[in-house]
Amino acid sequence: MSEEFNRFYYHQTFTDDDQLRNTSGGAAIFPHSGDNTFTFSTDSSVNGLQMFDPTSYVTFTDFLHGSADYNSFKDGENPAVEAVYGGEIPATPNSLGSSSASEAAEDNEYLNKGKKKKKMAEDGEESSKKEVKAKKKKEKKQREPRFVFMTKSEVDHLDDGYRWRKYGQKAVKNSPYPRSYYRCTTEKCPVKKRLERSFIDPSIVITTYEGQHNHNEPAARRGDMAGMFAPPSMLVPPLPQLQENQSFPPELLVQIPHQHLYSYNGGSTSNLYHQPQTLIQHQQQFHQFTDHGLLQDIIPPAFPNSSIETFTFFSN
DNA sequence: CGCGTTTGACCGGCGC
DNA sequence: GCGCCGGTCAAACGCG
């Protein structure tokens, strides 16, 4: 366990700077001057385990899956909740999050983007170019929700039950470890994820999900058992599963639900969720999939009412 | 042959 | 305007 990770910094972009000022209980939020970001810092431990904050107020399942009504958060009614979009962790020399990649959700645009570009270059259609530009400017404000979690693993690409196609790899500045870009291979599914190793602790894999799956069950794959763990009726994607070639002991990685939201703002839930229905929705979602009997083995009874937030714990 | 990866090129955003 | 950087594209390639 590296010392650096004992303190966890959470960068988050807020659209409403009135939010999250009221902090206590071991967490602090420092507004940055000159921009509208905050650094969230917390030292926490549970039962002697170092806790790594996945930095999202939206649950793992919310992000991975379309079952969560997160769109209702984005309609501007609740600026505080909007803060969950575009969270960043400076676990690599350059922060994970970038505000740019956000158009994928619309009409599977990513599949056509390249062709569009080429066609425009061929035709020289200035008008359409401007239209696209204007459209992009509009879209820029819409940010795909992101969910970040860290996993201690020697394997870069953890099996999360979905099929992914790698579409790029980039060197991370000031880091010896590259960042890989993946897309869900299911047709018209806009979900992307990035994988990279922490330059601070190379044993840690940082996974960033962006967008939500628009299909209920993970695509069937050849040669694995993912489908067996995810019946069609299951509204929640399987949590990352250990692969055969994953050599670290399973006890190193424990995923538990997070005491949703509360610890971040000193127990003042109203800062993050103005509307009580929102919390109720989350709890209903939780019960919805606990009813499937699929989570009991994963979620310790100590966290009966929280959504799966995929905290990753490390013990040393 | 189909599917997934690799990798150099390209693009847009952003800071200076 | 320029350069840097993150993200994406797509042809080439590898593999089962």
Side-chain angles (χ1 to χ4, degrees), chain A residues 9-24:
Chain A
Y9 294 95
Y10 178 39
H11 289 261
Q12 191 166 37
T13 302
F14 292 89
T15 54
D16 184 345
D17 60 4
D18 287 338
Q19 310 302 326
L20 295 172
R21 292 286 169 89
N22 205 7
T23 63
S24 62

Side-chain angles (χ1 to χ4, degrees), chain A residues 6-258:
Chain A
N6 287 343
R7 299 199 69 195
F8 185 88
Y9 294 95
Y10 178 39
H11 289 261
Q12 191 166 37
T13 302
F14 292 89
T15 54
D16 184 345
D17 60 4
D18 287 338
Q19 310 302 326
L20 295 172
R21 292 286 169 89
N22 205 7
T23 63
S24 62
I29 294 177
F30 309 103
H32 293 180
S33 59
D35 58 22
N36 61 341
T37 62
F38 292 76
T39 295
F40 183 92
S41 168
T42 180
D43 299 297
S44 54
S45 63
V46 175
N47 294 332
L49 299 174
Q50 293 295 329
M51 187 165 75
F52 283 59
D53 192 332
T55 80
S56 177
Y57 295 117
V58 174
T59 67
F60 181 61
T61 50
D62 287 346
F63 273 101
L64 285 182
H65 208 76
S67 62
D69 189 21
Y70 79 96
N71 284 320
S72 64
F73 300 160
K74 298 203 292 184
D75 57 9
E77 282 182 5
N78 193 338
V81 174
E82 205 170 330
V84 301
Y85 300 99
E88 300 179 7
I89 307 175
T92 54
N94 304 299
S95 62
L96 269 171
S98 159
S99 60
S100 60
S102 58
E103 315 90 16
E106 234 181 70
D107 202 19
N108 204 23
E109 185 181 357
Y110 61 83
L111 281 180
N112 304 316
K113 210 184 277 180
K115 291 172 189 170
K116 274 185 197 166
K117 269 190 223 163
K118 213 169 190 178
K119 191 173 191 307
M120 283 194 322
E122 286 168 1
D123 299 349
E125 290 178 7
E126 283 301 318
S127 57
S128 66
K129 204 184 255 183
K130 280 177 187 172
E131 282 173 20
V132 171
K133 258 192 175 178
K135 196 182 171 191
K136 284 218 162 185
K137 227 173 187 178
K138 254 187 178 178
E139 288 170 356
K140 191 193 164 189
K141 289 182 180 177
Q142 293 252 341
R143 221 177 247 185
E144 283 301 300
R146 287 191 183 133
F147 180 83
V148 183
F149 69 95
M150 294 186 269
T151 317
K152 191 160 193 168
S153 170
E154 293 174 6
V155 178
D156 285 341
H157 200 167
L158 296 175
D159 183 1
D160 59 5
Y162 289 90
R163 291 178 65 196
W164 301 93
R165 179 192 297 273
K166 189 175 185 177
Y167 67 90
Q169 178 171 308
K170 291 286 286 186
V172 178
K173 201 188 168 196
N174 297 327
S175 170
Y177 308 101
R179 177 182 300 149
S180 299
Y181 299 87
Y182 294 85
R183 268 196 287 261
C184 181
T185 59
T186 301
E187 203 179 355
K188 294 193 175 180
C189 180
V191 178
K192 289 180 266 189
K193 75 173 176 182
R194 297 193 292 256
L195 292 178
E196 64 186 282
R197 287 204 172 270
S198 166
F199 85 110
I200 295 172
D201 186 345
S203 66
I204 292 173
V205 177
I206 302 159
T207 306
T208 306
Y209 287 92
E210 182 174 322
Q212 294 196 325
H213 292 284
N214 57 13
H215 46 101
N216 275 344
E217 67 258 39
R221 289 175 299 178
R222 299 169 300 185
D224 70 27
M225 313 257 289
M228 299 179 65
F229 293 115
S233 62
M234 187 178 174
L235 292 173
V236 180
L239 291 165
Q241 294 158 12
L242 299 181
Q243 293 179 324
E244 283 179 14
N245 56 347
Q246 212 165 332
S247 60
F248 68 89
E251 59 268 23
L252 279 180
L253 189 153
V254 181
Q255 292 184 340
I256 66 160
H258 165 41

Side-chain angles (χ1 to χ4, degrees), chain A residues 274-314:
Chain A
H274 291 169
Q275 299 160 317
Q277 300 101 304
T278 308
L279 277 173
I280 292 169
Q281 282 170 5
H282 274 75
Q283 290 179 2
Q284 283 174 342
Q285 284 163 15
F286 175 81
H287 291 304
Q288 197 173 6
F289 48 75
T290 53
D291 285 347
H292 285 86
L294 294 165
L295 295 181
Q296 282 88 339
D297 291 340
I298 301 169
I299 301 173
F303 302 89
N305 286 320
S306 38
S307 303
I308 292 183
E309 190 90 346
T310 7
F311 267 116
T312 306
F313 285 78
F314 302 89

